[in-house]
Amino acid sequence: MAILLSVSLDPPLSSVTCAKSRILEFSAYITTPVSSKLPSTFQLELWWSSNNVEWIASPFALDTRNVPLCASKRFGDEKVHRFLVKFVPPLNADSIEFTARYRFDNRDWNWCGHCGSNGHVLLLTVPYRDYPTFSSLFGDVSEELEDSELMSEVIDSKVYKVTGIAAPIRGKTTNVKLGKPSEMRQYLSLVRIQTSWMGPVHGRDIFSVDRPAFMVLFQRKDGYHICVLPLSNMKNLLTIYMSSDNSGNLWLNVLNDASGHRTFSTFVGVSKDPQKAVQAALYSLRTMIQSFRGVLTRSLVPEDPAATDPDRVESVEEHLVLSDGNPEPVLGTWYEQWMDLFGFCTWNSMGIEVSLEKVMKALQELHDRGIRVGIVILDDGWQVTNDKRQLMQFDANDRFPGGLKHTVSTIKSTFPYIKHVAVWHALLGYWNGIAPDGELGKKYNLTKCRVYNDDIYIVSENDVNRFYDDFYKYLYSSGITAVKADVQMHIYDLEGDGISGTFVRKEYQDALKLHSLRYFYRRVSYCMAMSSQYFYYSLLQTSSPKPTLRNSDDFFPNIPSSHHWHIYCNSMNTVLTSLLHAIPDWDMFMTNIPPYSMQHAAARCFSGGPVYITDIAGFHDMEVLSQIQAQTIRGNSVALRPSRVATALDPYFGFNQKRLLFVTNFVGGTGGFSMLAVFNIHENENSTFCEPVRKSMLPGIVAGGDYVLRSYITGYTAEFTVPDASSSGDDDEDVLMLTKLGNSEWDIFTAAPLATVKTQFRSLKIGALGLLNNITGAAAVEWQKVTVPGKGRAVLDVDLKVLGILGIYMSDLGSLSTSITKLLITIQGSVVPLSSVSSEDNILKIDLTKAWTELDLSSKWSNEVSLRLYIT
């Protein structure tokens, strides 16, 4: 009997998908050892039911079509068999539930999955029925609420505004029932975890959360997605959370800090696309905030940002196009931001015992290994505090001889490529505020209050602005150019007679925002600030540069169960945080904690946020480090950040589902690189899952465009064309590759755009893939262009941010009778040595670092690498 290694369904078990037609098609991928064959007695059945009425067995048949490319090392000793079943469910069915079973030789059936892992398919009306009205979204809505339809700022969506009145009940909430979500199939709720963090809760059919919720997104049985987003921290007003009851009703919990009755608002977005539903609600919320608060004080925004922001340089950005005419080399400079710099943070490596000696040792160790970090973060432990965890003074403690200014000077003079030194501080000064008997306690007005039953002192609201002005002025004069502002939600836990509710919170948020702009051009990280009070007050208006926002609870290297959750939580939180005026920060990590290091590294690089490590000196994994940063031609290390913020492909993906987590991102603008990351985050160390990679999963691909999809882990490639509006195809044409990942494994698939060129001797598709040796190597490509100047030749120009091994896809390279030695390639106008060029299948590989060194090139005024390939 054949050994059956795995059975994978498409659509997968545990999923909820929407059918494109009433003819349903299911595929099953069966893996066996290469040496084994499936006997004729093998039976595989889809077991399904419509509307929970009757279960029906539909047999699969062996599919004679080619199996998609198996882009995983785990397929190396396996043979994949594809089976297919098609059927039409009853006309009155609006959904089906399914699983599968198999057997050999008429023996007992083996069921796929486990109890509760059945998949579901929603059978939508084609075309969609009209957008649901607000009255049809919730059942038993409170009569205290009023609703109105707004003009949505997002295409293919609707948005409703729901308002009510909250009484001034200090310390207590006004609870108003929004109602029971109608026809709900599945939901995502972003809820408050502890005081300072946010995380996802998923469910199906009945809404239930046991923690205050900031956002609720649910899918109805008709396929529409509904986002509920309450507005908090408005007009010195109130905080709104959401909760549930035992009947599945959604409640609005309103805390009014004002002295009189106030109107509260909640926004409800509706769309066929879940992200558009969130956008519709959030953008309407933002418009309302701007109408009340206006924009940031313009006097604090420099008239010439380039004059005050050392990061800012001119930028040139174009995308792959085909044009006629004589190509001219373009030598530009890319806009390197502070968060592009590869960083080192002291927290997990040194803790609160951080010192100048330890920092210098760690940086020297990285330097000796060829790692040139661009930003150093002095985390908690550098300040002068007392045993009550209160701040005494601005300057550094005695573990930093000579003070903070000497520390910065020592770091930068020893390692001149370090552009920024940042320091950590708590929003209130330190964890428990200011020491009343210290230097700062005598200089600023203090207010006594309580937090978590501890008596603490904070700078009074009428002196907060002066405190932050002095503090940041001191840091700036010491050479500090960025800050990590932590413990921010403490201001919402303060109690005491001297605390005037919302007002003191507003003063602290304003002071942080304005003075971080004045002194650091908003190079500030918001930490422990994951709450709607911060989202909508400090991180929504677009009139200043973007700060970073810590997007989840901390990285905990010594807690095994935290690693997969960390990646999962961050990918789900960005469903909301990606729309704020901030860059989500997935936190530091360590490179030497197998088997989790590479998965953390891939997640950070793919996130679109900053990438920084916290390794203990001497304990580095150079294999990891070599793939997460790259060297510029000016000698510093940068992270190759995608252009956007990574978000989960399926916002309803539950942490305990036995499936792979897919996360999307993008590089460039129209015609850029589409990226798809895949993670196995299941807790079972023996878990292995197989799923298809589809065209429809890839964001931003252009209809009618030609692309090549590449797996980072295996290097396998597959060409494809995106259907345009006039084309049609079966579902199997949507599947490009199969991926199969074991516990803690990952892969990143990049779809690179191709241009078709015809020369005197051949026709081919060509395009840059980016750096092949970097996890997000496509982000190294700043600009590329194909020109056809005539005379039977073509030219590909590529500008890159960094050095490394550049891959260029040439569709006929693997079959060329001519040697690559006949290709002419130049870098900065100089001919690339043949020793730096190689090929594998259809990929031309150019070692830019080796060529740069052998040619003894220098950066001169440009910070880009300019390469030209002549094609005849």
Side-chain angles (χ1 to χ4, degrees):
M1 184 175 69
I3 300 175
L4 197 63
L5 298 178
S6 65
V7 179
S8 302
L9 295 185
D10 180 26
L13 293 175
S14 300
S15 68
V16 177
T17 56
C18 296
K20 296 180 180 179
S21 75
R22 299 292 297 192
I23 302 176
L24 300 185
E25 178 178 316
F26 288 79
S27 294
Y29 298 98
I30 311 297
T31 59
T32 61
V34 172
S35 59
S36 177
K37 293 183 179 180
L38 279 175
S40 58
T41 58
F42 175 72
Q43 292 176 275
L44 176 66
E45 292 183 344
L46 186 76
W47 192 253
W48 61 275
S49 171
S50 62
N51 300 337
N52 295 317
V53 178
E54 178 185 4
W55 286 89
I56 300 172
S58 295
F60 281 91
L62 187 64
D63 195 341
T64 57
R65 296 171 297 181
N66 291 331
V67 174
L69 180 63
C70 300
S72 171
K73 293 180 179 179
R74 287 188 170 266
F75 287 118
D77 298 323
E78 299 177 1
K79 183 177 181 180
V80 181
H81 313 262
R82 180 161 70 170
F83 287 75
L84 180 70
V85 62
K86 293 184 179 182
F87 63 92
V88 178
L91 291 176
N92 64 342
D94 57 17
S95 67
I96 71 161
E97 182 177 358
F98 67 91
T99 184
R101 62 182 186 176
Y102 64 91
R103 66 178 178 178
F104 295 92
D105 302 322
N106 292 320
R107 298 182 181 180
D108 292 339
W109 289 98
N110 297 283
W111 290 93
C112 299
H114 58 91
C115 181
S117 69
N118 290 353
H120 295 79
V121 176
L122 303 183
L123 305 174
L124 309 181
T125 56
V126 182
Y128 272 75
R129 68 193 193 195
D130 291 339
Y131 281 94
T133 61
F134 178 78
S135 61
S136 67
L137 297 181
F138 302 94
D140 195 21
V141 179
S142 171
E143 295 181 355
E144 301 176 39
L145 297 175
E146 296 184 0
D147 66 272
S148 59
E149 183 177 342
L150 305 178
M151 178 177 292
S152 179
E153 300 176 38
V154 180
I155 61 171
D156 300 326
S157 70
K158 277 195 173 186
V159 62
Y160 301 99
K161 179 182 176 182
V162 182
T163 59
I165 303 296
I169 309 174
R170 187 167 179 79
K172 296 183 179 180
T173 59
T174 298
N175 302 314
V176 184
K177 184 165 65 174
L178 183 58
K180 186 174 184 178
S182 301
E183 300 185 37
M184 185 175 70
R185 189 66 195 86
Q186 56 183 347
Y187 66 87
L188 159 68
S189 182
L190 296 179
V191 304
R192 184 176 183 177
I193 298 178
Q194 300 175 350
T195 300
S196 308
W197 303 111
M198 181 175 75
V201 172
H202 288 87
R204 292 183 178 173
D205 300 326
I206 301 296
F207 178 65
S208 177
V209 293
D210 59 358
R211 304 181 187 196
F214 303 119
M215 185 200 82
V216 173
L217 174 69
F218 65 90
Q219 184 179 28
R220 290 160 48 100
K221 293 178 180 178
D222 60 6
Y224 278 101
H225 302 269
I226 315 299
C227 176
V228 184
L229 209 58
L231 171 58
S232 288
N233 221 6
M234 191 69 202
K235 296 178 68 178
N236 285 352
L237 166 64
L238 34 76
T239 299
I240 310 179
Y241 297 109
M242 292 176 286
S243 62
S244 64
D245 59 24
N246 293 333
S247 300
N249 288 298
L250 194 157
W251 288 77
L252 302 176
N253 312 121
V254 187
L255 179 64
N256 183 1
D257 284 331
S259 58
H261 287 74
R262 291 289 187 270
T263 300
F264 62 86
S265 301
T266 296
F267 296 86
V268 180
V270 183
S271 179
K272 305 166 191 175
D273 182 314
Q275 197 61 37
K276 287 183 178 181
V278 181
Q279 291 171 348
L282 185 72
Y283 293 166
S284 293
L285 181 152
R286 182 179 64 187
T287 297
M288 181 175 178
I289 289 177
Q290 290 175 338
S291 69
F292 278 105
R293 295 188 59 223
V295 297
L296 192 65
T297 306
R298 293 189 179 275
S299 62
L300 294 177
V301 181
E303 294 182 3
D304 181 11
T308 57
D309 181 15
D311 289 343
R312 189 176 180 85
V313 291
E314 293 302 315
S315 171
V316 177
E317 180 177 351
E318 298 214 15
H319 307 288
L320 185 59
V321 294
L322 181 65
S323 63
D324 296 320
N326 295 316
E328 296 295 334
V330 177
L331 292 177
T333 56
W334 66 283
Y335 182 176
E336 180 187 281
Q337 302 181 67
W338 70 286
M339 62 191 74
D340 291 320
L341 300 172
F342 184 65
F344 172 76
C345 181
T346 64
W347 179 240
N348 291 104
S349 58
M350 304 173 194
I352 61 173
E353 297 301 318
V354 59
S355 67
L356 177 57
E357 180 182 1
K358 292 180 180 179
V359 171
M360 295 302 291
K361 179 182 178 181
L363 295 176
Q364 185 64 53
E365 215 280 332
L366 287 168
H367 176 88
D368 293 343
R369 292 174 180 250
I371 306 300
R372 309 288 191 259
V373 299
I375 182 169
V376 176
I377 303 171
L378 302 180
D379 214 296
D380 190 1
W382 69 272
Q383 294 169 294
V384 179
T385 61
N386 61 19
D387 57 3
K388 295 181 180 179
R389 306 183 83 191
Q390 296 171 325
L391 186 63
M392 303 286 288
Q393 63 185 54
F394 287 150
D395 205 358
N397 59 44
D398 57 11
R399 293 193 298 273
F400 296 85
L404 191 57
K405 187 172 185 178
H406 173 72
T407 295
V408 176
S409 176
T410 301
I411 291 173
K412 288 192 170 184
S413 61
T414 308
F415 310 103
Y417 47 79
I418 293 178
K419 294 187 176 182
H420 296 287
V421 177
V423 293
W424 175 101
H425 72 84
L427 184 69
L428 301 177
Y430 200 61
W431 287 88
N432 286 337
I434 307 297
D437 57 348
E439 177 184 314
L440 301 178
K442 297 174 182 178
K443 183 176 181 179
Y444 301 100
N445 299 325
L446 301 183
T447 296
K448 183 178 180 180
C449 52
R450 292 182 305 279
V451 60
Y452 306 145
N453 297 319
D454 291 330
D455 288 336
I456 69 170
Y457 290 86
I458 67 170
V459 177
S460 302
E461 62 188 48
N462 60 5
D463 222 6
V464 172
N465 188 66
R466 183 169 70 98
F467 171 79
Y468 263 89
D469 190 18
D470 291 345
F471 185 24
Y472 280 10
K473 185 185 298 180
Y474 170 78
L475 295 178
Y476 179 80
S477 68
S478 299
I480 298 299
T481 50
V483 291
K484 176 181 177 181
D486 207 346
V487 205
Q488 296 207 34
M489 280 301 296
H490 255 30
I491 58 172
Y492 287 91
D493 294 316
L494 299 176
E495 298 176 347
D497 297 335
I499 302 302
S500 58
T502 302
F503 191 64
V504 68
R505 300 157 189 170
K506 173 182 178 296
E507 291 297 314
Y508 271 91
Q509 288 202 51
D510 284 346
L512 172 63
K513 184 170 186 176
L514 299 182
H515 295 297
S516 67
L517 174 63
R518 173 176 285 149
Y519 292 105
F520 308 125
Y521 206 76
R522 286 292 271 169
R523 285 187 289 269
V524 54
S525 175
Y526 280 72
C527 190
M528 295 179 68
M530 295 205 75
S531 169
S532 54
Q533 294 100 318
Y534 274 95
F535 293 167
Y536 307 145
Y537 189 83
S538 294
L539 301 174
L540 199 57
Q541 296 190 59
T542 59
S543 54
S544 64
K546 286 185 178 181
T548 62
L549 168 69
R550 271 287 308 283
N551 196 51
S552 74
D553 201 349
D554 290 0
F555 162 74
F556 297 110
N558 299 320
I559 303 178
S561 61
S562 72
H563 296 292
H564 293 157
W565 170 260
H566 189 93
I567 294 171
Y568 169 76
C569 184
N570 274 281
S571 66
M572 290 297 163
N573 283 346
T574 52
V575 172
L576 176 60
T577 58
S578 64
L579 303 178
L580 302 175
H581 191 65
I583 300 296
D585 174 359
W586 290 30
D587 201 13
M588 67 194 91
F589 72 102
M590 288 178 157
T591 66
N592 57 348
I593 51 167
Y596 307 109
S597 299
M598 279 306 306
Q599 197 175 63
H600 276 296
R604 302 310 191 280
C605 292
F606 194 81
S607 71
V611 180
Y612 53 113
I613 61 172
T614 181
D615 288 356
I616 298 172
F619 292 88
H620 309 291
D621 188 327
M622 290 305 298
E623 183 180 356
V624 177
L625 282 169
S626 66
Q627 299 176 72
I628 64 177
Q629 51 80 42
Q631 300 288 316
T632 71
I633 58 177
R634 292 178 177 171
N636 59 300
S637 298
V638 298
L640 299 179
R641 297 171 48 241
S643 307
R644 301 181 188 176
V645 173
T647 57
L649 177 68
D650 178 6
Y652 305 109
F653 179 95
F655 181 62
N656 294 317
Q657 288 186 16
K658 292 187 175 182
R659 294 175 52 202
L660 298 176
L661 171 66
F662 289 85
V663 186
T664 65
N665 211 329
F666 197 83
V667 172
T670 303
F673 298 84
S674 180
M675 304 181 75
L676 182 71
V678 193
F679 301 95
N680 184 342
I681 59 169
H682 198 269
E683 292 301 285
N684 186 339
E685 62 182 17
N686 297 318
S687 65
T688 300
F689 304 114
C690 171
E691 292 194 38
V693 175
R694 299 177 174 278
K695 298 176 192 176
S696 54
M697 294 177 170
L698 299 169
I701 53 177
V702 178
D706 292 320
Y707 292 85
V708 59
L709 184 71
R710 179 176 183 269
S711 159
Y712 177 77
I713 295 297
T714 64
Y716 293 165
T717 59
E719 280 188 39
F720 68 95
T721 299
V722 183
D724 56 28
S726 62
S727 64
S728 61
D730 297 327
D731 285 344
D732 66 286
E733 295 179 351
D734 192 38
V735 178
L736 299 173
M737 293 183 180
L738 293 180
T739 183
K740 188 175 186 179
L741 302 177
N743 182 260
S744 298
E745 292 182 343
W746 60 277
D747 201 351
I748 290 178
F749 295 88
T750 301
L754 300 176
T756 300
V757 297
K758 294 182 179 180
T759 68
Q760 182 177 356
F761 302 105
R762 62 204 235 242
S763 174
L764 75 157
K765 295 178 182 179
I766 187 171
L769 299 174
L771 296 190
L772 304 179
N773 58 327
N774 194 284
I775 290 174
T776 46
V781 178
E782 183 69 10
W783 177 90
Q784 63 172 320
K785 185 176 183 180
V786 174
T787 54
V788 183
K791 300 179 182 179
R793 62 189 177 92
V795 176
L796 170 66
D797 284 298
V798 185
D799 283 355
L800 300 108
K801 302 173 182 178
V802 291
L803 299 170
I805 300 176
L806 172 65
I808 296 176
Y809 185 83
M810 302 175 67
S811 60
D812 65 350
L813 186 61
S815 60
L816 279 180
S817 58
T818 57
S819 169
I820 61 172
T821 59
K822 296 185 179 180
L823 295 173
L824 177 58
I825 309 168
T826 64
I827 180 173
Q828 313 299 81
S830 299
V831 177
V832 172
L834 288 177
S835 59
S836 302
V837 184
S838 62
S839 67
E840 183 178 358
D841 297 325
N842 288 333
I843 298 178
L844 183 68
K845 299 180 179 181
I846 306 167
D847 191 332
L848 302 175
T849 305
K850 186 176 182 180
W852 190 271
T853 302
E854 290 188 11
L855 294 172
D856 194 24
L857 299 175
S858 60
S859 62
K860 298 181 180 179
W861 63 270
S862 173
N863 71 344
E864 291 184 353
V865 183
S866 295
L867 180 134
R868 172 171 288 181
L869 170 63
Y870 294 87
I871 308 161
T872 57

